[in-house]
Amino acid sequence: MPKSKIRALDGAHAVAEAMRQINPDVVAAYPITPQTAIVQTFSNFVADGLVDTEFVAVESEHAAMSTCIGASAAGGRVMTATASAGLALMWEVVYVAASLHLPIVMPVVNRALSAPLNIHCDHSDSMGTRDAGWIQLYSENPQEAYDNVIQAVRIAERLLLPVMVMQDGFITGHGVERVDVLDDGTVKGFIGEYKPEHSLLDVDNPATYGTWDMYDFYFEHKRQQTDALSKALPAIVEVGEEYGELTGRKYGIFEAYGMDDAEMAIVVLSSSAGTARMVVRGLREKGVKIGLFKPRVFRPFPAKEFAEALADVKAVGVLDRSIVFGAMDGLGPGPLYLELCAALFAAGNTTTRVADYVFGLGGRDIIPAYVEQVAQDLAEIAETGEVKTPVSYLGLRE
Amino acid sequence: MAIKLKEIANKEERLVAGHRFCAGCAEPILTRQILNAIDDPVVLSCATSCMEIATSIYPYSSWRVPWIHSAFENASSTIAGAEAMYRSLVRQGKIEDRGLKFIAFGGDGATYDIGLQWISGCFERGHKMMYVCFDNEAYMNTGIQRSSATPLGAHTTTSPAGTVIPGKQQWRKPLTEIFAAHHIPYVAQASPSRWRDLMNKAQKGVAADGPAFLNVIAPCPRGWRHEPEEAIELAKLAVETCYWPLYEVENGQWKLNFKPREKKPIIVWLERQGRFRHLFQPQFRHVIDEIQAKVDEEWERLLERCGEA
Ligand SMILES: Cc1ncc(C[n+]2csc(CCOP(=O)(O)OP(=O)(O)O)c2C)c(N)n1
């Protein structure tokens, strides 16, 4: 095992620490609650000469991503971080970054979108960019956020695709936990040197980036982009395994807890998996055949793997922390549910029943009782094979 | 460094033939003048514009130098990112310093309007970059819509000359002054008709120790409604009427670079362009006087600023 140190860190500081160790060549970022601690902490590292980074304290998130695009095209390691309105503001260029195959790494501290204004956690921001061509990793706690950011560098540079690493605003971002922080040399060794294939700075071999692309080629280029994403999972798994060998913390594309003989499953991303795991553990002790399924990778969506993992489950309760407005007759399911249903359908699964539970919007707490309620529903669904309410809301006053 | 016609004529072009600019467009002319003036290796970014779509039609490229387009409003931040990376890699000893110059190109739409904040941010942070605005006074790429560079009375497709309203109702934004007010090392206004002046300014811009801004007038045959062979002539008249004065602000020092012996009336410039045709109807002629008054007012203010009053 490499040297490491146990520290008490919240998710934002854990990510800032990872950024210090990654030592990107350029960071361009703009503050927004609850991401602010990341830029502030990183600014201190810059001020104290602890990193070699050229830190560009831009005037907006759109400029942050625009600067990252120019910097990444210029052939070095580039990072930014954002949340909520910041991610929404940069939406246009979030697409550009992916479409130009730039390996930018962006921690996102999930926060609700306006209006009304709300600074607390839900996944509307990152889910709003789920189709932009980025790889998306979701983290349950500060440790995972830290580990995912370090792995994201390798994943991005290997695939030439940008990677977003999510953690829940405040809950994880401001929640202090035990974090095993690797020593600097270990991180340096793991991420290695970045050797870009092309660089805008290569004046001897000038290249044109971001062309005008018409109906005669654009379609093929978009196809190449999906192709790149379709090859991402094995790379993500490989990097996760290598990281596991190094640190003892192995990462795959999902975490399954109590799933071996499960007839029911709760599917949830990020910090709420902690609450769900606790409830599942309690139910397991009572002999209930229920498991927890926590996706780590949302983009690319591991449809085959998820369908396989849930093939023998009778009833699945998806917990979604955002709404796809207008989907399913306007019932307002979440994206995780929609993607999972599509995955099961495409796999020819006609037996697994799925219900969606939207929860926690704008930072509303999820408490064990809500998850227990889901488990009760699932028991009924498993028995009857019938989903009475495809989309419901947890902890909502109607 | 002195610009010798013979030398620049023999230099390798950085923007090469085969591009798809309209006949008579001033954009490639001024771009070649600028790039020809600079001996150092350059890295370019370009805003979404006529220039972008005329020079980078996949799978072709007219650029013999590194060039990137990201979006409409962010050519400044894009080149600033590349410049930041260059500084970082050189400082860390990861690459050698070859004196690269970083230049962003954008139209008046990208510069006066949608990208103003991005440029302002880059200038405040002091990136060593030059931003060039090719000012054809409207959004030409999308079919001649008004911008805040469009002058009073001009017909565009979103400020059309109707029976009641005679074209654009506002004057233009004093953009060169706005960037001069950023107190960056070098700001200048230029014209492709006075190429030596423009090329000098390009050299000064990239040599500046910090951000530089060039605002270059770029007559557009399609948008201004003139014959293709008249672009340089119209740029010249814009200068001689003092509609487009040539000046520079170097480390805070304002300097007028050209004072016409005889200031021509604005009407000689207006009457050559179809976009002002409606102003010559009796009911709209007063707009010509208003334009003249605006030109005079700005010219007087400039003379005063340059100590020429
Ligand atoms: C965010 C955004 N809004 C609008 C457009 C559409 N658009 C593309 S180029 C352009 C106008 C460009 O005008 P200008 O900057 O003056 O350059 P020109 O085409 O005249 O050279 C517009 C409106 C866009 N590409 N992106």
Side-chain angles (χ1 to χ4, degrees), chain A residues 92, chain B residues 27 47-51 71-73 106-111 114 134 136-142 145 147:
Chain A
E92 178 197 26
Chain B
E27 285 183 22
T48 313
S49 58
C50 292
M51 181 176 293
F72 185 17
E73 61 289 311
D108 49 286
T111 312
I114 200 167
F134 42 91
N136 53 26
E137 308 199 315
Y139 304 162
M140 298 310 183
N141 182 38
T142 40
Q145 292 85 31
S147 77

Side-chain angles (χ1 to χ4, degrees), chain A residues 40-79:
Chain A
Q40 284 179 350
T41 311
F42 192 76
S43 301
N44 285 335
F45 296 148
V46 175
D48 292 337
L50 299 178
V51 284
D52 299 309
T53 309
E54 196 59 45
F55 175 55
V56 189
V58 286
E59 79 291 342
S60 81
E61 287 87 352
H62 192 295
M65 186 49 67
S66 299
T67 306
C68 287
I69 287 167
S72 183
R77 272 198 180 120
V78 175
M79 291 184 75

Side-chain angles (χ1 to χ4, degrees), chain B residues 2-5 33 191-202:
Chain B
I3 292 158
K4 296 204 186 79
L5 199 53
Q33 288 168 341
S191 162
S193 61
R194 291 188 76 86
W195 55 269
R196 198 182 291 273
D197 174 74
L198 170 58
M199 292 176 80
N200 270 323
K201 286 170 175 171

Side-chain angles (χ1 to χ4, degrees), chain A residues 1-2 21 143-144 146-151 154 180-182 186-187 190-191 236-251 296:
Chain A
M1 280 296 130
Q21 298 180 312
Q143 181 72 63
E144 287 192 7
Y146 171 83
D147 292 339
N148 278 336
V149 165
I150 292 169
Q151 291 171 71
R154 283 278 300 276
D180 189 359
V181 177
L182 298 170
T186 303
V187 176
F190 181 77
I191 60 172
I236 295 170
V237 169
E238 251 176 64
V239 172
E241 273 169 6
E242 198 185 316
Y243 192 79
E245 277 161 29
L246 186 70
T247 64
R249 294 186 298 278
K250 192 176 147 194
Y251 285 82
R296 169 184 178 233

